[in-house]
């Protein structure tokens, strides 16, 4: 992952602005962030889990990066999707899939969105929605709950 969540979110917010991209980027840097993480355990071998997670993420948003950390052992995928009112708030979703034994995989989902004066909890809501989709696609169950990050 070359770019930080904050950089990607600032670019996404600037793209929504009409001609004030530089100012929007600066203001975005000052905004707080709503972050939520959810861990899942998928009863799938690593390669199958990565393929299914990739499919869910491809349908959910626009890819902004992926990097195999240890081929065959761990992979990280990242997308930008819409959240909040009308789906206009950019949300960066990062999913890390790790091998967990011969027939299992751990899936860590992290969603982050900038928060303005009106708290929409776009990161949290997006994480919960995508965790449900990943659970359906992989047969995963909660690995230890979810947490705000």
């Amino acid at each position: 992952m070359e770019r930080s969540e904050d950089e990607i979110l600032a670019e996404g917010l600037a793209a929504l602005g009409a001609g004030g991209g530089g100012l929007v980027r600066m203001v975005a840097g000052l905004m707080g962030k709503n972050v939520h993480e959810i861990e899942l355990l998928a009863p799938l071998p690593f390669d199958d889990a990565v393929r299914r997670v990739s499919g869910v993420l491809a349908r959910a948003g626009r890819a902004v990066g992926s990097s195999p950390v240890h081929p065959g052992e761990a992979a990280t995928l990242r997308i930008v999707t819409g959240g909040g009112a009308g789906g206009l708030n950019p949300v960066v979703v990062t999913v890390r899939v790790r091998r967990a034994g011969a027939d299992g995989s751990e899936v860590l989902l992290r969603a982050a969105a900038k928060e303005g004066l009106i708290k929409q909890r776009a990161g949290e809501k997006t994480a919960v929605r995508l965790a449900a989709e990943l659970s359906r696609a992989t047969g995963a169950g909660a690995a230890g709950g979810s947490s705000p990050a």
Side-chain angles (χ1 to χ4, degrees):
M1 305 286 133
E2 317 77 55
R3 299 182 299 158
S4 73
E5 283 175 343
D6 289 323
E7 291 171 328
I8 296 168
L9 290 169
E11 288 173 10
L13 289 169
L16 295 174
L23 179 60
V24 173
R25 277 191 186 87
M26 185 180 75
V27 171
L30 302 173
M31 296 169 71
K33 210 165 37 171
N34 174 249
V35 178
H36 196 72
E37 294 180 351
I38 298 174
E39 286 184 58
L40 302 169
L41 284 175
L44 295 171
F46 174 77
D47 292 332
D48 288 341
V50 170
R51 186 173 34 78
R52 291 186 191 192
V53 167
S54 295
V56 168
L57 295 180
R59 290 186 297 278
R62 174 181 55 88
V64 290
S66 65
S67 60
V69 177
H70 298 96
E73 296 292 325
T76 303
L77 310 158
R78 181 176 274 175
I79 65 164
V80 173
T81 189
L88 294 176
N89 192 4
V91 180
V92 174
V93 178
T94 306
V95 178
R96 182 168 204 174
V97 182
R98 290 188 297 220
R99 181 181 305 276
D103 293 326
S105 299
E106 294 176 344
V107 179
L108 175 61
L109 171 83
R110 175 185 170 93
K114 291 291 186 174
E115 288 280 354
L117 294 175
I118 299 171
K119 305 300 181 204
Q120 299 181 47
R121 298 186 347 260
E124 180 181 347
K125 291 176 181 177
T126 300
V128 169
R129 176 178 56 84
L130 286 177
E133 291 180 31
L134 289 170
S135 291
R136 282 191 296 276
T138 65
S146 60
S147 67

